[in-house]
Amino acid sequence: PDMEDCKLVYPVTRTIPKTVAVAKAALEELIKGLTQEDKDDAYFTNINSNVKILGLSIENKVARVDFSKELEEGVGGSCKVDTIKAQIEETLKQFDTIDSVVISIEGKTEGILQP
């Protein structure tokens, strides 16, 4: 597949209770996975459903999000890895307060989510 295709993700709409932590709530919805309607529309996700968000901070328009090790379990292949990154980045960059995203796994940013 074309590498650009691997970064192509589509928005889906979710309604959530009012919260000040909208970015974290959006990420939690992403991890929860697909609704039946999403599946009916032929959407899929490459994010494991047992992933936990260990931390999220936003400073100077940079979101730093730390996930549990499940994020990269069984996700070999550059396409799958690119899709996971794109899903997380686009979920966060929908907010005006976020321009870029740094992903870490249990505090590590080096050597994670490698194809």
Side-chain angles (χ1 to χ4, degrees), residues 19-61:
T19 174
V20 292
V22 286
K24 185 161 191 218
L27 270 184
E28 285 168 349
E29 287 297 319
L30 174 66
I31 289 169
K32 267 187 215 170
L34 304 172
T35 63
Q36 189 55 51
E37 188 180 340
D38 295 337
K39 291 175 189 167
D40 292 346
D41 290 339
Y43 288 123
F44 66 94
T45 180
N46 278 331
I47 296 180
N48 295 321
S49 58
N50 56 348
V51 172
K52 305 266 182 300
I53 301 165
L54 302 180
L56 171 64
S57 65
I58 303 164
E59 193 176 330
N60 300 327
K61 294 203 165 205

Side-chain angles (χ1 to χ4, degrees), residues 1-20:
D2 179 350
M3 291 314 283
E4 282 307 304
D5 289 351
C6 298
K7 294 180 178 157
L8 189 61
V9 293
Y10 298 93
V12 292
T13 303
R14 295 288 188 270
T15 304
I16 58 170
K18 188 169 173 60
T19 174
V20 292

Side-chain angles (χ1 to χ4, degrees), residues 72 75-78 80-82 85 105 109-115:
E72 60 181 1
V75 297
S78 59
K80 210 167 187 183
V81 167
D82 283 345
K85 289 178 186 170
I105 295 177
T109 54
E110 294 296 314
I112 63 162
L113 290 174
Q114 296 298 317

